[in-house]
């Protein structure tokens, strides 16, 4: 197959959705497929990359980029070159670049699919409106005009597919995990001297309001083991300064969190020398970062928020805490500190459980979806030809 992937910020490795798209592209190339990329990011060191200009919004660009976003300006000649002759076009986002790309794909008779990766709560939380359901519902309605132009869309979790059903999204929804990179597996990792004798708790992901790293700080501060806990936040984002101020206020001077944006190699090292992983997010479509952690045997404690699919990874109640409740999270942390043998048993179970989410297995499912849509498109084109 020849597949064209269209995504505004493809190549920005700090963005979780980009990481997903890059894993898909790399694995499909390994399977012998030709992959073309349309992006607004310069310097992507891959084959068949088509770069469109960036769209700029002068008054809000700083805010947009703080959220890990870029927007591509549709260039029809570039899009036509990238789409013509492809078997299928796969869209990751519902913005202007993708809308024009969909129009061109339809005109050229090229099959197309879309993935749903922008959860409205991620947008509204950044402007302190994440809990306003009518606003989130309005964004779902706004996205629907794009997604209902497809017969098949990819949903990384069943939770998301169910939400889209309730909002009247008509496409067939393929529930397929994005999967984690096989690079993430348990390895020997040397713990830095500053963490010797400490209980290290890690969370990776963007530092933003809806991810709720503040709950982890509050939970550690109220723990009976507060002087022995060290937190590591792997990521960057607009909430970093706020989190640092909160930690300075609540945690002892010698127990301040470490904030670091990690390479893939550094992240695996951090995971493998950590004692516990916490995923506190209120809103999440899937959370590859949590999969990466438990694939390395790091036991997770996950928010049970109704708008996070990450709770599907809880093997039992020990792995869940009440959403938004720092005391509930503290109790789970203290429990695992006091029951290391149970944590070791769960670690082994999680390594085995993780195998179903290997990116290789997930890409095979994506390929089946692509083949189905290509076949259906070919039949439609034959029917049109026969009608003429």
């Amino acid at each position: 197959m020849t597949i064209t992937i269209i995504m505004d910020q493809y190549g920005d490795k700090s963005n979780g959705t980009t990481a997903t798209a890059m894993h898909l592209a790399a694995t499909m190339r390994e399977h012998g497929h030709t992959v073309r990329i349309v992006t607004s990011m310069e310097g992507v060191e891959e084959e068949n990359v088509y770069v469109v200009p960036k769209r700029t919004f002068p008054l809000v660009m700083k805010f947009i980029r703080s959220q890990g976003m870029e927007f591509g300006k549709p260039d029809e000649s570039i899009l036509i070159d990238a789409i013509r002759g492809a078997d299928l076009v796969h869209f990751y986002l519902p913005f202007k670049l993708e809308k024009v790309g969909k129009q061109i794909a339809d005109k050229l008779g090229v099959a197309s699919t879309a993935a749903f990766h922008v959860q409205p709560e991620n947008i509204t939380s950044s402007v302190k409106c994440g809990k306003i359901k009518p606003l989130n519902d309005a964004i779902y309605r706004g996205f629907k005009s794009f997604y209902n132009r497809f017969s098949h869309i990819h949903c990384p979790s069943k939770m998301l597919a169910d939400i889209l059903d309730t909002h009247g999204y008509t496409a067939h929804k393929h529930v397929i995990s994005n999967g984690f990179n096989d690079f993430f597996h348990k390895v020997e990792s040397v713990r830095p001297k500053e963490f010797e004798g400490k209980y290290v708790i890690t969370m990776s992901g963007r530092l933003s309001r809806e991810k709720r790293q503040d709950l982890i700080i509050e939970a550690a501060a109220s723990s009976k083991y507060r002087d022995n806990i060290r937190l590591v936040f792997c990521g960057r984002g607009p909430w970093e300064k706020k989190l640092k101020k909160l930690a300075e206020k609540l945690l002892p001077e010698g127990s301040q969190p470490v904030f670091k944006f990690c390479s893939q190699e550094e992240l695996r090292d951090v995971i493998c020398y950590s004692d516990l992983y916490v995923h506190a997010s209120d809103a999440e479509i899937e959370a590859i970062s949590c999969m990466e952690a438990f694939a390395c045997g790091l036991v997770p404690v996950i928010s049970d928020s109704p708008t996070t699919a990450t709770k599907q990874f809880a093997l039992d109640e020990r792995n869940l805490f009440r959403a938004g409740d720092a005391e509930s999270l503290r109790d789970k942390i203290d429990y695992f500190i006091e029951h290391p043998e149970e944590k070791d048993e769960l670690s082994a179970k999680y390594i085995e459980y993780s195998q179903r989410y290997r990116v290789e297995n997930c890409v095979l499912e994506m390929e089946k979806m692509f083949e189905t849509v290509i076949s259906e498109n070919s039949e439609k084109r034959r029917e049109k030809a026969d009608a003429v």
Side-chain angles (χ1 to χ4, degrees):
M1 288 185 283
T2 296
I3 305 295
T4 298
I5 292 174
I6 298 182
M7 181 184 178
D8 299 69
Q9 68 264 21
Y10 185 101
D12 178 3
K13 295 180 181 178
S14 69
N15 182 287
T17 303
T18 300
T20 294
M22 294 178 78
H23 291 160
L24 173 66
T27 307
M28 290 200 68
R29 288 185 179 115
E30 289 172 4
H31 290 183
H33 305 296
T34 298
V35 180
R36 304 172 182 172
I37 304 297
V38 177
T39 179
S40 69
M41 304 296 291
E42 298 279 356
V44 178
E45 296 179 354
E46 297 183 18
E47 297 177 351
N48 303 316
V49 176
Y50 298 76
V51 181
V52 297
K54 284 185 171 67
R55 293 178 75 195
T56 58
F57 306 88
L59 297 178
V60 293
M61 279 314 298
K62 184 177 180 180
F63 172 76
I64 289 171
R65 286 177 175 149
S66 76
Q67 302 302 312
M69 295 293 294
E70 292 283 357
F71 293 100
K73 183 178 181 180
D75 182 311
E76 291 196 13
S77 63
I78 293 174
L79 285 165
I80 289 170
D81 286 345
I83 294 171
R84 181 182 282 127
D87 295 299
L88 180 137
V89 186
H90 185 56
F91 300 92
Y92 267 87
L93 300 169
F95 303 127
K96 185 69 173 178
L97 177 65
E98 289 76 20
K99 289 176 181 178
V100 175
K102 172 61 172 169
Q103 291 171 357
I104 292 171
D106 289 348
K107 286 179 182 178
L108 295 176
V110 178
S112 59
T113 55
F116 198 101
H117 277 280
V118 181
Q119 195 171 8
E121 288 83 356
N122 292 141
I123 299 171
T124 55
S125 292
S126 64
V127 290
K128 303 182 181 180
C129 298
K131 302 294 185 182
I132 302 178
K133 188 175 184 299
L135 181 57
N136 293 323
D137 289 345
I139 296 173
Y140 276 115
R141 288 195 297 273
F143 288 166
K144 184 167 66 173
S145 63
F146 174 70
Y147 285 101
N148 276 1
R149 295 170 62 192
F150 297 86
S151 58
H152 296 261
I153 60 176
H154 167 223
C155 296
S157 62
K158 185 177 185 302
M159 179 204 78
L160 176 63
D162 291 343
I163 290 173
L164 297 187
D165 279 338
T166 65
H167 284 88
Y169 284 62
T170 56
H172 178 77
K173 299 161 193 72
H174 297 256
V175 178
I176 305 169
S177 171
N178 287 310
F180 68 89
N181 191 322
D182 284 345
F183 178 83
F184 287 92
H185 59 273
K186 193 169 185 177
V187 297
E188 290 296 323
S189 179
V190 179
R191 178 173 287 195
K193 288 185 178 180
E194 64 180 304
F195 295 151
E196 287 181 3
K198 300 293 185 179
Y199 196 87
V200 180
I201 299 173
T202 294
M203 179 174 173
S204 65
R206 193 159 57 93
L207 307 175
S208 58
R209 186 178 302 275
E210 78 277 10
K211 302 301 183 184
R212 300 308 308 269
Q213 289 94 348
D214 59 310
L215 289 175
I216 306 176
I217 294 171
E218 292 172 8
S222 64
S223 168
K224 67 182 77 170
Y225 305 103
R226 69 194 301 266
D227 293 329
N228 197 46
I229 292 173
R230 288 299 302 274
L231 305 177
V232 181
F233 295 118
C234 297
R236 60 188 176 198
W239 235 28
E240 184 171 344
K241 288 183 180 179
K242 180 179 178 66
L243 293 170
K244 286 180 176 178
K245 285 183 180 179
L246 180 65
E248 288 170 1
K249 178 182 177 182
L250 297 181
L251 293 173
E253 185 176 343
S255 299
Q256 291 300 301
V258 172
F259 293 84
K260 58 190 299 181
F261 179 71
C262 300
S263 66
Q264 185 171 256
E265 292 77 10
E266 290 171 329
L267 177 58
R268 186 177 67 178
D269 282 344
V270 171
I271 289 171
C272 288
Y273 68 61
S274 294
D275 295 292
L276 196 67
Y277 183 84
V278 173
H279 205 86
S281 182
D282 281 340
E284 202 86 61
I285 284 175
E286 186 179 35
I288 292 175
S289 55
C290 187
M291 284 189 276
E292 291 170 343
F294 66 67
C296 295
L298 189 58
V299 173
V301 178
I302 304 163
S303 168
D304 69 357
S305 168
T307 52
T308 178
T310 316
K311 61 182 178 289
Q312 70 186 345
F313 300 137
L315 294 184
D316 62 44
E317 288 300 314
R318 291 171 294 179
N319 301 112
L320 289 173
F321 74 94
R322 288 190 300 275
D325 189 334
E327 291 185 1
S328 174
L329 175 55
R330 175 204 62 200
D331 292 345
K332 294 300 171 84
I333 290 171
D334 286 357
Y335 182 87
F336 279 118
I337 291 175
E338 293 168 356
H339 297 83
E341 70 290 342
E342 292 185 31
K343 187 167 72 69
D344 289 344
E345 290 174 4
L346 277 171
S347 174
K349 289 180 180 179
Y350 264 109
I351 290 174
E352 181 179 356
Y353 170 70
S354 71
Q355 296 310 299
R356 69 184 68 182
Y357 296 108
R358 292 177 60 239
V359 70
E360 174 73 21
N361 297 333
C362 300
V363 170
L364 290 173
E365 292 300 309
M366 291 291 289
E367 288 173 340
K368 290 178 184 177
M369 180 183 77
F370 293 157
E371 288 166 356
T372 295
V373 177
I374 291 168
S375 176
E376 289 179 358
N377 188 60
S378 297
E379 290 174 8
K380 288 178 183 176
R381 291 172 73 176
R382 283 196 297 270
E383 288 172 3
K384 287 182 180 179
D386 292 341
V388 173

